[in-house]
């Protein structure tokens, strides 16, 4: 009897780990930008995704790891013909929902526009806090 479960197409999945050091944000953003272009995303969508991944990594560094530069950030990117799914995983502090900034841009306080940008520039996002330790943000952008 054959196993009817679906297997992942690992030819479409990119996984990287970076340290929680701000100097790696630019490199990761640029790498991701070029991957998006190579997988058929428009220049504008690729730029949007470059901004989104930069904001997400910066939020992990700032909030989950409190600025520590020696913690891991795991990024998984899966390209499908009509979309990309990005997962960013940390092992830092859980974010309290009351501490999240409003999604109203008029509620801008010195910081806090990152989640607004993420929401506006993706088709779907979810902050998964079901892990015993840390967080995972899932982002989806359709072509």
């Amino acid at each position: 009897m054959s196993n009817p479960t679906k297997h992942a197409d690992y030819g479409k999945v990119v996984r990287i780990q970076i340290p929680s050091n701000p100097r790696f944000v630019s490199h990761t953003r640029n790498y991701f930008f070029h991957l998006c272009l190579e997988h058929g995303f428009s220049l504008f969508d690729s730029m949007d995704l470059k901004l989104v991944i930069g904001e997400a990594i910066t939020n992990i560094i700032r909030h989950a790891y409190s600025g520590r530069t020696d913690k891991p950030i795991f990024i998984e990117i899966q390209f499908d013909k009509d979309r990309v799914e990005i997962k960013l995983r940390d092992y830092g502090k859980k974010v309290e929902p009351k501490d999240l900034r409003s999604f109203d841009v008029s509620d801008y306080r010195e910081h806090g526009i990152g989640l607004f940008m993420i929401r506006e520039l993706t088709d779907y996002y979810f902050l998964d806090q079901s892990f015993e330790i840390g967080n995972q943000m899932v982002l989806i952008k359709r072509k």
Side-chain angles (χ1 to χ4, degrees), residues 55 58-59 62-63 99-102 105 107-115:
E55 283 297 323
T58 300
N59 283 345
R62 181 176 290 139
H63 302 293
D99 294 334
L100 294 175
R101 299 287 191 237
S102 169
V105 79
D107 188 29
Y108 178 75
R109 305 166 222 175
E110 191 172 330
H111 301 286
I113 200 165
L115 279 179

Side-chain angles (χ1 to χ4, degrees), residues 8-21:
D9 182 355
Y10 292 108
K12 297 178 181 177
V13 177
V14 176
R15 290 186 179 125
I16 60 174
Q17 175 187 340
I18 62 170
S20 59
N21 190 315

Side-chain angles (χ1 to χ4, degrees), residues 29-48:
R29 290 175 53 204
N30 289 332
Y31 176 66
F32 185 66
F33 169 74
H34 290 289
L35 278 177
C36 289
L37 288 175
E38 290 173 14
H39 282 87
F41 280 86
S42 71
L43 178 63
F44 293 110
D45 284 344
S46 297
M47 285 300 297
D48 288 350

Side-chain angles (χ1 to χ4, degrees), residues 40 70 97 124:
D70 62 341
Y124 173 83

